[in-house]
Amino acid sequence: QVRLVESGGGLVPPGGSLRLSCVASEHIFRFNAMGWYRQGPGKQRKLVARITRGGGENIGDTMLGRFTISRDNAKNTVYLEMNSLKPEDTAVYYCNAQTALDYYWGQGTQVTVSS
């Protein structure tokens, strides 16, 4: 069973930065893509950023220019660098890994943007 463990969430003031990490229990190169989703209070889970095995990236429209996704295959880790954070970025952030047949999710890490 694939395990994804997120870390790096916390409380940050508006305009601040955080870097989230997701460590996988298996070599991440086996996944077609890995990504980050978020779910705010009373909202549906939505894509934040996604990176494919070949390095292609998708970033959510409201995150363009502020968020960056990257991967370190040697460390089996995917990162989400978040800058210029806004209160509306407050959510639980989930790591996701995809194969041809399955989706895997981490437990999530809380990000709260507040003064």
Side-chain angles (χ1 to χ4, degrees):
Q1 180 69 17
V2 174
R3 289 187 64 235
L4 304 173
V5 179
E6 303 99 333
S7 62
L11 174 64
V12 62
S17 298
L18 282 175
R19 187 176 80 157
L20 306 184
S21 300
C22 170
V23 181
S25 59
E26 303 184 15
H27 292 300
I28 62 174
F29 204 76
R30 73 173 286 249
F31 302 120
N32 294 342
M34 294 190 71
W36 291 91
Y37 289 71
R38 71 185 185 187
Q39 187 166 15
K43 297 181 180 180
Q44 290 185 332
R45 192 174 297 189
K46 290 187 175 181
L47 175 68
V48 174
R50 179 176 176 268
I51 185 166
T52 67
R53 182 189 292 117
E57 298 177 11
N58 298 101
I59 306 290
D61 288 345
T62 61
M63 301 85 167
L64 282 172
R66 299 190 299 126
F67 291 11
T68 303
I69 188 169
S70 61
R71 58 192 294 161
D72 186 332
N73 292 336
K75 295 183 178 180
N76 295 328
T77 301
V78 174
Y79 303 99
L80 182 69
E81 186 78 34
M82 304 186 293
N83 298 308
S84 302
L85 282 162
K86 305 174 182 180
E88 51 263 44
D89 294 318
T90 294
V92 178
Y93 284 69
Y94 296 92
C95 181
N96 169 267
Q98 303 169 24
T99 66
L101 298 176
D102 289 308
Y103 275 60
Y104 302 96
W105 295 96
Q107 292 299 307
T109 184
Q110 176 70 46
V111 171
T112 302
V113 184
S114 175
S115 54

